[in-house]
Structures are given as structure tokens and as C-alpha cells.
Amino acid sequence: ARLEGYQHLFYLLQTNPEYLARLIFEMPQTRTTKFMESVILTIFNYASNQREEFLLMRLFEAAMKFEMMQKVDRLVDVITGNPTVVKMAVHFNRGAQGQSSLKELLLPLVRRVIDDKQLNINTNPVDVYKIWINKREGETGESCNLPYEVSNDQALDHKEVRDAIALSIKVLKNILENFVKSITESVNKIPYGMRFVAMKLRQSLQQKFPDASREEVLKAVGNLIYYRFMNPALVAPDAFDIVELSVDKGLTPEQRRNLGSIAKVLQHAAANKSFTAENAALAPLNSYIVEAHPKFLNFFHKASTVDEADVHYNQDQYAEVITLTRPIIYISIKEIVSTHELLIAHENELAPDPNDQLHIIL
């Protein structure tokens, strides 16, 4: 009887997304990440078939609406904060399917950068200054009587430093053209799950902030798609299995710096953020950022425009009724008990109606 009770309970949680959507925000924040990464994905069987992926998307949708309506006060909070549903969606879409999509998109771009042994992008004035001093002293065998520790502005006082940075920026601009084109034309390589969550984020923000401009809303969508999903894999492709390198080989400091320089400008272009005094050496790229930003906005709009989940997965409210095979989930006793405890602790918040079937099952 207890096993049957738990079967009814987990079936209810799977097919009625409102319960888990609310529970995520009722429990202490310290517990959410672990609960989401283990229990929630377990309840949906890691979305291993169409039915379960469809039900997981419904949970993301319900949780997104709840979080945006109840927890977000300013649109910018979506970018500066770390919204729970955004974390969940990125974690889920980093799974096998999302990983292969990222690899398909980024591998050719990353390979071109790490295979070019002559490529050396350095736009840090102090770094460039020190390399220049060392080279000069190495060639002459004499000290050049210049201070080794200098500020950015002092480093930029030297024509040799300015020329070296100008060359790096020229090289960087040529590479960026290729990256921007590939990324902004890659809509169909982004997993459906990521695009669906991006669409729900866009719709929820438009509903919550009707006076916000198209650009403000799409920047928040871009923060999810580009900054949180794509960018980490571009900065550290070895950590995200985009490129396979032997343990002893790894990426060289120059390769990491090259990728980091490219990623930095792409972030600024995606967010339409100019380089200011702090990064004065990169200011010549500001006109390029202004030019590239609309391409990113169009990309974010297209990426966040997909079929609704019931159409994509060919599921509707009758699909559950006519399903012939009983759904199965694999869950540990510990996960069952912790879910049961959480539901009892927050029962009234999850089901305010005294006749709700959750009360009966619990």
C-alpha cells in the first residue's frame, strides 16, 4: 500500500508541475541546488523519453512564471542575479544532447584558435610592456633603464606598446567576424530545451515588464543563451569537453588568453557594453560592438521563438490517459524520504485548497 501511495505521489508531481514549481521556492535556498540536480531530474527520469522531457519542460515553464512574477522586482535582476530556473535549465541542457550541440557549434571555432600556433592576442598594456622590455633587454644584453612595474597609462605612453596592442586588436577583429557569424547563425544548433526556457523567460518578462524595450528583454534572454550557456564552454573548452586534450598537454596560457580575449569582446557585443577607461586599450573595438549587437539581438529573438512543448513533443492532455506503458522512475529510498519530508513541511503552501488531491495522497 505504501509503494502504491508513493507511485500515486510521484505521478502527481510529474504531471502537475505547479507543486514542484512552488516547492523549489518554498524550501531553503541552501537545499535547492542539490534537490534540483538530483531529485527533480530523477522524478523526470533525466528526460530520457519524449513524455518525460515534455513534462520537465512544463515544470520549467511553471517555475519560470512563478519566479519572474513573484521573485523578480527589476528586469536587470535577471542579468545581475542568479535566477533558480535559469540555473536549472542550464544544468539540464548541459546533459548529453546539449553537450553535443555545443560541441558541434564551438569545436570548429575553438580549433581554429588553438591550432594557430602563431596567434598571440594580448591587449593588456602592462603585459605587453613587460614582454617588450624583456625582449629589448634580451636582444641588447643591457638594461634599458625603464621601470618594470608600471600602470596601464604609463605602459601606453610607449609607441611600441600601442603598436603591439593595435596589431592584436586588428587580428582579434578578423577572428571576431567569424565567431559572430557562426554564433548568430547557429539557432538550429541550440537544444530545444534551452530555446523553450528562453522563450518562457522572454514571455514572462514581457508580461511582468510591459514597458520594457525589446532590447532590454532580449538582453536578459541573451544572458541565458550566450553568457550562461555558451560562454563558459568557449572560455574553457577543455573543461566542457568541447576539445579533447591529453592530461599532460592541456591548453597553453597563450591559447587560454586568446580564447579569453575573444570571449570578452563577444560578451560585450551580446550585452552592448562599451569598453571604458578600465579597458581603454580595447576602446577601438567599441564601434565593432555597436555594429555586432543588433545581430546578437536578432539571434536571441530567433533562438527564443519555438513551438510550444505540446506541439514539439506531440503531447496533449489526453496523451496520459491513453498511454499503454506505465511510466517508471528510478529513485533511491533517501530521495523518496527527503521529497516526502519537504512536501509535508510545505504542504499548505503547495496546495492551499483543502480538497487538493495532494493532501489526500500525503
Side-chain angles (χ1 to χ4, degrees):
R2 180 167 287 199
L3 175 63
E4 201 173 308
Y6 278 125
Q7 286 174 347
H8 286 299
L9 177 64
F10 284 99
Y11 182 78
L12 182 71
L13 294 178
Q14 258 197 356
T15 54
N16 289 267
E18 297 298 329
Y19 298 124
L20 286 174
R22 286 177 177 234
L23 181 60
I24 290 163
F25 300 104
E26 288 295 340
M27 71 171 80
Q29 283 297 296
T30 48
R31 289 188 70 177
T32 30
T33 308
K34 188 134 181 40
F35 181 75
M36 286 180 321
E37 287 178 5
S38 60
V39 182
I40 286 187
L41 288 177
T42 300
I43 290 172
F44 293 96
N45 224 6
Y46 288 83
S48 54
N49 64 32
Q50 279 212 315
R51 171 191 173 271
E52 286 148 358
E53 194 169 335
F54 165 67
L55 293 172
L56 183 61
M57 289 306 123
R58 286 184 61 210
L59 169 64
F60 285 159
E61 179 178 5
M64 178 69 78
K65 279 182 186 167
F66 187 83
E67 184 165 26
M68 293 304 127
M69 292 302 160
Q70 308 289 332
K71 307 284 178 185
V72 172
D73 296 322
R74 300 172 308 153
L75 202 153
V76 72
D77 293 345
V78 176
I79 296 171
T80 56
N82 200 3
T84 302
V85 186
V86 165
K87 270 193 302 192
M88 279 169 71
V90 171
H91 176 73
F92 168 68
N93 284 290
R94 283 262 159 77
Q97 187 196 349
Q99 195 56 36
S100 64
S101 305
L102 263 181
K103 190 168 184 171
E104 189 190 342
L105 165 62
L106 294 177
L107 180 61
L109 295 168
V110 169
R111 267 269 157 241
R112 202 169 298 175
V113 172
I114 64 177
D115 288 349
D116 185 346
K117 303 296 181 225
Q118 302 306 309
L119 186 61
N120 186 10
I121 301 167
N122 196 343
T123 56
N124 180 316
V126 174
D127 267 6
V128 173
Y129 171 83
K130 287 179 179 178
I131 291 165
W132 168 60
I133 293 273
N134 289 336
K135 189 181 175 202
R136 193 169 143 183
E137 290 181 348
E139 284 170 353
T140 61
E142 295 172 13
S143 167
C144 57
N145 296 320
L146 286 169
Y148 195 65
E149 299 301 331
V150 292
S151 67
N152 280 347
D153 287 344
Q154 286 168 329
L156 287 167
D157 283 340
H158 299 272
K159 183 178 183 297
E160 290 84 351
V161 173
R162 293 196 302 273
D163 287 350
I165 290 175
L167 183 61
S168 272
I169 284 175
K170 190 179 173 186
V171 170
L172 184 54
K173 214 168 176 180
N174 289 337
I175 295 171
L176 284 166
E177 290 288 349
N178 190 21
F179 270 76
V180 170
K181 187 174 189 302
S182 296
I183 290 169
T184 57
E185 290 176 3
S186 70
V187 168
N188 296 326
K189 289 179 183 170
I190 301 170
Y192 172 80
M194 180 54 72
R195 295 183 64 184
F196 176 77
V197 172
M199 177 167 79
K200 293 302 153 189
L201 174 63
R202 177 170 58 77
Q203 291 170 346
S204 297
L205 291 175
Q206 285 167 335
Q207 192 181 342
K208 176 81 185 260
F209 304 103
D211 297 332
S213 68
R214 172 182 181 267
E215 183 179 359
E216 285 174 299
V217 171
L218 288 177
K219 269 193 202 175
V221 171
N223 182 261
L224 164 64
I225 294 172
Y226 178 72
Y227 183 68
R228 293 176 195 263
F229 182 59
M230 291 183 177
N231 185 64
L234 177 56
V235 176
D238 45 345
F240 287 88
D241 293 329
I242 302 300
V243 288
E244 286 159 25
L245 301 162
S246 56
V247 177
D248 54 319
K249 230 178 157 199
L251 288 176
T252 66
E254 289 76 22
Q255 288 170 327
R256 287 198 190 282
R257 189 179 58 225
N258 290 339
L259 288 168
S261 301
I262 294 162
K264 187 176 186 175
V265 183
L266 290 173
Q267 277 175 44
H268 278 250
N272 198 18
K273 196 173 162 194
S274 298
F275 288 109
T276 52
E278 193 184 333
N279 288 292
L282 291 168
L285 286 165
N286 285 342
S287 57
Y288 178 75
I289 286 167
V290 171
E291 190 188 310
H293 183 60
K295 294 175 189 172
F296 273 101
L297 288 186
N298 289 334
F299 166 59
F300 299 147
H301 181 76
K302 282 180 191 165
S304 64
T305 307
V306 280
D307 286 338
E308 289 293 348
D310 54 352
V311 175
H312 179 79
Y313 296 107
N314 195 20
Q315 299 273 336
D316 57 30
Q317 69 265 42
Y318 305 113
E320 285 296 315
V321 180
I322 59 168
T323 187
L324 298 174
T325 51
R326 289 177 68 182
I328 295 172
I329 61 168
Y330 300 90
I331 186 165
S332 69
I333 298 286
K334 189 180 173 189
E335 288 169 333
I336 290 172
V337 172
S338 71
T339 306
H340 195 167
E341 282 175 346
L342 281 165
L343 291 169
I344 288 171
H346 302 287
E347 187 175 348
N348 293 328
E349 293 88 354
L350 304 183
D353 179 353
N355 299 317
D356 194 295
Q357 53 192 335
L358 182 66
H359 300 301
I360 301 159
I361 293 174
L362 284 175

